[in-house]
């Protein structure tokens, strides 16, 4: 399987602490790779490095064979990397639909050629076009709305009846669903999910598992951080384990589950808060 994402020797230090320590990883097209590890293992820092929110002290990130190390988040989104955050980030005052449309518009900006090729003229020229071709613009907007509605429909009765509600009025779990819907509207080549079931109860977690399973079945490449090991074991093609910034294991879910170094890492951290892999 050719690698869509390849991470080589990625390292990030905060003062004396090495949060991510020479980590190598790769994610193949259509693959679901989970990154697990005790609290403070470096998972979110790794995501931040891959998605341009933070810059590494050493190492490289390659996406589809191109070096994207240190590129800003906006550019990475336009290249097809979309992420969600551990605590969920949505535009509180925008409706569910508009939150998802933000994702669709980001994608559209990426695929539209720069008019005239003159930097800075793009937005102005776009406005001019909108004025002379209102029908075309309206149709394009209509198509985006339709697409956003289809994505929202993936979340069934949880989101569909609330499509016009402002995000601030939603439950925590629903805000997290909106965030994932927005990321999907980017039509990402790689979707990075940071603890998509954090704060969700058992039935909500089971629903999310089905949604992720559905995305995977459609060929979506996914990099997942997740604490709920049951879900990780059911969904992942491969699992990588971080501990104190280092990758201590990588392999098929069953191999990782029985790896003594992994069991040791989980037992060694008293505040894991979740079951040791059984
Ligand atoms: N901006 C920062 N400044 C200083 N230290 C940081 C910073 N960000 C993360 N760290 C430290 O780096 C280490 C890794 O943190 P990180 O959040 O990546 O871990 P994690 O595996 O995502 O943990 P959790 O499962 O609790 O979310 C921790 O010791 C954390 O305190």
């Amino acid at each position: 399987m050719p690698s869509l994402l390849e991470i080589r020797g990625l390292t990030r230090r905060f003062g004396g602490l090495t949060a991510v320590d020479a980590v190598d990883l790769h994610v193949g097209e259509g693959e679901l790779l989970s990154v697990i590890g005790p609290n403070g293992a470096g998972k979110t820092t790794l995501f931040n490095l891959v998605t341009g929110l933070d810059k590494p002290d050493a190492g490289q990130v390659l996406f589809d064979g191109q070096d994207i190390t240190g590129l800003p988040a906006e550019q990475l989104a336009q290249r097809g990397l979309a992420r969600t955050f551990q605590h969920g980030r949505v535009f509180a005052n925008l409706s569910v639909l508009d939150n998802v449309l933000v994702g669709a518009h980001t994608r559209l900006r990426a695929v539209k050629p720069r008019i005239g090729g003159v930097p800075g003229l793009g937005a102005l020229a776009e406005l001019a076009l909108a004025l002379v071709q209102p029908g075309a613009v309206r149709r394009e907007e209509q198509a985006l709305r339709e697409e956003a509605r289809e994505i929202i429909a993936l979340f069934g009765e949880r989101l569909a009846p609330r499509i016009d509600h402002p995000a601030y009025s939603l439950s925590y779990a629903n805000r997290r669903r909106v965030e994932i819907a927005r990321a999907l509207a980017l039509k990402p080549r790689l979707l990075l999910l940071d603890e998509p079931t954090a704060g969700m109860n058992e039935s909500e977690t089971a629903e999310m598992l089905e949604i992720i399973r559905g995305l995977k079945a459609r060929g979506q490449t996914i990099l997942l951080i997740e604490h709920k090991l049951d879900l990780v074991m059911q969904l992942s093609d491969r699992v990588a384990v971080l501990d104190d910034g280092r990758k201590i294991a990588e392999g098929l879910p069953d191999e990782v589950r029985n790896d003594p170094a992994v069991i040791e890492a989980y037992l060694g951290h008293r505040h894991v808060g979740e079951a040791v892999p059984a």
Side-chain angles (χ1 to χ4, degrees), residues 233 237-239 241 249-263 277:
M233 295 301 161
D237 294 308
R238 284 184 305 122
V239 180
V241 188
E250 184 179 7
L252 300 174
D254 271 345
E255 293 167 358
V256 164
R257 188 204 301 261
N258 297 311
D259 187 320
V262 176
I263 296 168

Side-chain angles (χ1 to χ4, degrees), residues 17-242:
L17 174 99
T18 307
V20 173
D21 195 353
V23 169
D24 295 326
L25 275 182
H26 64 96
V27 188
E29 196 101 43
E31 191 179 27
L32 193 153
L33 176 76
S34 291
V35 178
I36 65 169
N39 292 116
K43 305 179 294 294
T44 297
T45 305
L46 182 77
F47 258 37
N48 290 345
L49 295 173
V50 172
T51 53
L53 262 73
D54 194 7
K55 291 191 177 178
D57 294 299
Q60 265 188 320
V61 183
L62 303 178
F63 186 62
D64 203 13
Q66 299 197 324
D67 191 345
I68 57 160
T69 320
L71 287 185
E74 161 98 5
Q75 275 186 38
L76 294 178
Q78 294 187 348
R79 281 176 188 236
L81 271 94
R83 77 169 285 180
T84 65
F85 290 86
Q86 194 172 9
H87 301 294
R89 292 188 187 178
V90 290
F91 298 105
N93 288 313
L94 294 186
S95 68
V96 169
L97 181 63
D98 285 342
N99 262 285
V100 180
L101 278 170
V102 169
H105 279 288
T106 305
R107 188 190 79 235
L108 202 67
R109 272 204 304 280
V111 297
K112 264 193 186 165
R114 261 258 161 80
I115 299 161
V118 183
L121 196 68
L124 209 64
E126 232 176 75
L127 177 64
L129 263 184
L131 291 173
V132 296
Q133 291 187 299
V137 171
R138 218 176 22 246
R139 279 194 297 279
E140 183 177 87
E141 188 61 27
Q142 203 46 47
L144 285 184
R145 279 174 184 271
E146 205 37 59
E147 208 175 86
R149 283 178 194 280
E150 279 168 24
I151 292 169
I152 290 166
L154 290 176
F155 297 84
E157 287 306 294
R158 297 289 189 180
L159 290 187
R162 299 177 175 84
I163 197 159
D164 294 319
H165 294 196
Y168 70 75
S169 69
L170 302 176
S171 67
Y172 177 73
N174 269 338
R175 287 202 299 272
R176 307 230 46 199
R177 294 181 181 107
V178 170
E179 198 198 10
I180 295 173
R182 190 181 62 213
L184 288 173
L186 271 163
K187 297 220 168 125
R189 294 189 65 195
L190 175 65
L191 176 66
L192 297 99
L193 299 172
D194 193 348
E195 286 200 53
T197 70
M200 290 190 179
N201 64 28
E202 219 172 291
S203 64
E204 292 169 337
T205 299
E207 273 174 39
M208 187 56 76
L209 184 143
E210 286 312 319
I211 286 171
I212 298 174
R213 214 199 288 276
L215 296 174
K216 188 167 153 15
R218 284 167 25 187
Q220 177 72 57
T221 310
I222 299 174
L223 185 54
L224 172 73
I225 295 179
E226 184 51 67
H227 271 300
K228 292 178 182 153
L229 295 175
D230 234 26
L231 182 133
V232 167
M233 295 301 161
Q234 288 189 58
L235 281 174
S236 311
D237 294 308
R238 284 184 305 122
V239 180
V241 188
L242 294 187

